[in-house]
Amino acid sequence: MSKKTQYEELVLQALAARGNAYAPYSSFRVGAALQTPDGQIFTGCNVENAAYSPSICAERVAVAKAVEGGARSFVAIAIATATSPPATPCGVCRQVLREFNSELPVICVNPSGDRRDLWLSDLLPHSFSKKDLDV
Ligand code: THU
């Protein structure tokens, strides 16, 4: 996996995005930063809703912004939570990230400086993908 010095800017942007989280119901604030091969970074934060189920995770906000911006390929995502150890992405977000890169590096961090460098393929083994639709 990557050196800990790699993706430092991505980590900083995920931590900064966490500051914009709208999480009045869970108080669980999440930030994400998604990097494209040409170095562009798209950020996201979780956005909750009084009806609960319309809430969306930080990772999927970042993916939606990136796709709308024309990106289709990603080299890494950093995800910031306040937990120790840093939390890993939920199952729905793993599946959404997998759509674009099954081997994505997933860098999970918290504001204390803890960092877990993981592979999406380890977080979502034997995954379902567009290949499975080729029947
Ligand atoms: N959340 C994320 O933003 N990303 C995840 O991968 C896990 C959970 C958000 C959803 C909700 O707003 C709050 O964290 C508590 O689940």
Side-chain angles (χ1 to χ4, degrees), residues 22-23 26 28 30 45-48 55-59 88-90 93:
Y22 178 73
S26 72
F28 192 81
V30 186
C45 63
N46 54 332
V47 182
E48 296 185 347
S55 302
I56 185 166
C57 294
E59 297 90 324
T88 59
C90 80
C93 290

Side-chain angles (χ1 to χ4, degrees), residues 57-119:
C57 294
E59 297 90 324
R60 281 178 286 142
V61 170
V63 169
K65 285 170 67 179
V67 170
E68 192 283 331
R72 294 290 185 273
S73 174
F74 305 113
V75 295
I77 187 167
I79 300 163
T81 57
T83 58
S84 185
T88 59
C90 80
V92 172
C93 290
R94 292 177 196 199
Q95 181 66 32
V96 169
L97 292 167
R98 189 259 170 268
E99 179 71 17
F100 300 100
N101 182 356
S102 62
E103 298 293 330
L104 188 73
V106 177
I107 318 300
C108 301
V109 299
N110 65 24
S112 310
D114 299 323
R115 174 170 163 169
R116 301 164 80 185
D117 287 32
L118 304 165
W119 291 107

